[in-house]
Amino acid sequence: MTEQESLISTRVIKVDPEHPEEGSLREAGRIIREGGLVAFPTETVYGLGGNGLDAGASAKIYAAKGRPSDNPLILHIADPEALTDIVEEIPEAAKLLMERFWPGPLTIIFRKKDCVPYATTGGLDTVAVRMPSHPTAQMLIREAGVPIAAPSANLSGRPSPTTAEHVIRDLSGRIEMIIDSGAVGIGLESTIVDVTGERPVLLRPGYITYEMLEDLLNEVQIDPVITETKPDPNLKPKAPGMKYRHYAPKGDLVIVKGPMDAVIRAINEACEKDHAAGYTTGVLASSEAAASYHADVVSDCGSRENLEEIAHNLFAVLRDFDEQGVEKIYAECFDGEALGMAVMNRLRKAAGYHMMTVE
Ligand code: TXA
Ligand code: MG
């Protein structure tokens, strides 16, 4: 959006996350039905919602986020029955996944029906669908009466929003309404699985882990870009959005890997040098080590023993470095197993794959 374009007035409404009041989302549903945009909470991150069957609404979503339009959107439904209206077929693997993980933080890729516009799928013949468990999200979808296309409700490139305040910062003046139901539960975007090929492929790791998928389906492939530690120009991610620089704070972020003593020593040395050069420094720390760092801002992201806590806090901590004007950020490295695969995938992207190994 250029400065000349007039800003629209954005209404913020508060809605109880557990028991949204009957009728409280009627107006929000009407806005979506009529082609407008409403940001809303889900259990993963806040989404920027529009009518997923309306090419014009999808175009507005891309414009509001400043997002390239070849990056497809996820359709959100409130009932599994709604799936048959938008997808050509439901493969066996998808049925198993839906039964086990819907409603919840899992997105499944299907072959789309004609009614889903290419404007929503970024020109692809497949469509991403998810059924969120958040009561506010479910009520909004029912009120709207259409599948809601929703990317994360951040400006393109910034960390995904986990509170309504994050959304207000990024999108106020660009969309009609923001629904505030407080902080989300999980904090990382949904796991994405493609079931359109011979074998299921994990396209984006999330709260539903590779281990959980493998346990249910066997022989799940992992899109190699997920775990790469250095971007390989020859690898093309199967989820187009995974190719973009993402989740990045404004400051330079470096992940420091190695035994904890060495990591603490290296980070403190780097911060001292940066500080002397006039930079504001920050550390993304585990609770276990937070007290050992000397930097302008030390953010405790949670315990190493509790990756759910780290996942929940990660994006808020990255945004907070921006708020505090931190220019040089050093992050501890976390274990890449289970939920750690999703945490490290987001952290590596946030760092632009900048990693330092110490001994
Ligand atoms: O948790 C979430 O999934 C959140 C909430 C709001 O539901 N949404 C979200 O959307 O993270 P977004 O747009 O930020 O990320 C969608 C990802 C992108 O990487 C995109 O490329 C991929 O899903 N995707 C969407 N449709 C696809 C398709 N047909 N084939 C492959 N990847 C697809
Ligand atoms: Mg996103």
Side-chain angles (χ1 to χ4, degrees):
M1 194 179 300
T2 65
E3 272 180 42
Q4 285 86 356
E5 278 176 277
S6 59
L7 297 178
I8 58 175
S9 98
T10 302
R11 274 176 60 199
V12 180
I13 62 167
K14 277 201 188 293
V15 172
D16 186 301
E18 299 297 330
H19 306 286
E21 204 180 311
E22 195 57 45
S24 60
L25 295 171
R26 203 152 290 152
E27 172 67 9
R30 189 189 58 76
I31 292 171
I32 290 192
R33 246 190 339 275
E34 293 179 356
L37 304 184
V38 176
F40 63 100
T42 80
E43 67 277 23
T44 56
V45 299
Y46 271 75
L48 169 56
N51 180 351
L53 303 182
D54 173 355
S58 293
K60 277 193 201 165
I61 291 177
Y62 290 114
K65 275 186 67 107
R67 170 175 181 156
S69 58
D70 67 343
N71 187 354
L73 306 174
I74 296 173
L75 287 189
H76 296 66
I77 57 176
D79 300 284
E81 292 75 45
L83 194 58
T84 48
D85 296 337
I86 53 180
V87 311
E88 280 290 340
E89 57 174 355
I90 307 178
E92 280 310 310
K95 286 181 190 152
L96 291 171
L97 289 167
M98 289 159 62
E99 204 170 293
R100 175 79 64 93
F101 299 116
W102 279 11
L106 178 76
T107 296
I108 306 175
I109 310 288
F110 297 91
R111 294 203 0 233
K112 78 171 191 73
K113 274 195 171 153
D114 288 343
C115 64
V116 180
Y118 284 116
T120 298
T121 67
L124 298 175
D125 289 316
T126 53
V127 61
V129 186
R130 123 170 162 84
M131 181 173 158
S133 62
H134 197 295
T136 306
Q138 291 197 350
M139 189 185 272
L140 177 65
I141 299 163
R142 294 208 172 97
E143 287 285 0
V146 290
I148 297 185
S152 48
N154 50 285
L155 285 177
S156 190
R158 302 214 59 208
S160 295
T162 55
T163 66
E165 286 73 35
H166 297 162
V167 183
I168 292 168
R169 263 208 175 260
D170 278 16
L171 297 178
S172 201
R174 294 169 171 254
I175 62 178
E176 278 78 7
M177 186 181 271
I178 296 170
I179 301 168
D180 179 356
S181 289
V184 302
I186 293 174
L188 297 181
E189 308 84 348
S190 61
T191 304
I192 304 180
V193 181
D194 185 350
V195 293
T196 61
E198 247 170 53
R199 281 169 58 182
V201 188
L202 175 61
L203 302 189
R204 179 173 74 181
Y207 188 81
I208 307 295
T209 63
Y210 167 74
E211 289 80 356
M212 289 155 81
L213 298 169
E214 181 64 27
D215 188 47
L216 181 72
L217 300 177
N218 298 320
E219 298 199 38
V220 176
Q221 293 184 318
I222 302 178
D223 187 353
V225 298
I226 289 177
T227 49
E228 70 187 358
T229 50
K230 208 166 62 206
D232 177 347
N234 299 315
L235 283 184
K236 193 166 168 278
K238 297 203 177 63
M242 298 293 278
K243 73 176 175 244
Y244 294 107
R245 183 169 155 89
H246 235 138
Y247 316 118
K250 292 177 186 138
D252 286 331
L253 170 59
V254 182
I255 304 168
V256 185
K257 185 179 176 178
M260 270 328 287
D261 294 4
V263 167
I264 292 169
R265 210 177 320 116
I267 289 181
N268 281 335
E269 274 171 25
C271 285
E272 195 183 315
K273 232 160 100 193
D274 290 338
H275 190 81
Y279 292 111
T280 306
T281 57
V283 182
L284 190 156
S286 61
S287 309
E288 286 81 357
S292 308
Y293 294 109
H294 312 290
D296 296 308
V297 178
V298 177
S299 294
D300 180 348
C301 204
S303 167
R304 294 194 154 270
E305 304 296 314
N306 185 355
L307 276 168
E308 294 198 7
E309 193 183 5
I310 308 260
H312 179 264
N313 294 331
L314 181 66
F315 288 145
V317 163
L318 290 176
R319 276 181 178 261
D320 198 47
F321 286 128
D322 285 353
E323 299 295 320
Q324 305 205 50
V326 178
E327 297 163 288
K328 298 283 182 187
I329 308 163
Y330 298 90
E332 288 178 26
C333 188
F334 298 94
D335 181 13
E337 295 279 293
L339 185 52
M341 188 193 280
V343 167
M344 285 310 300
N345 168 261
R346 306 309 193 275
L347 194 54
R348 275 194 299 269
K349 286 166 75 87
Y353 300 91
H354 201 166
M355 175 119 45
M356 191 169 107
T357 304
V358 294
E359 284 171 2

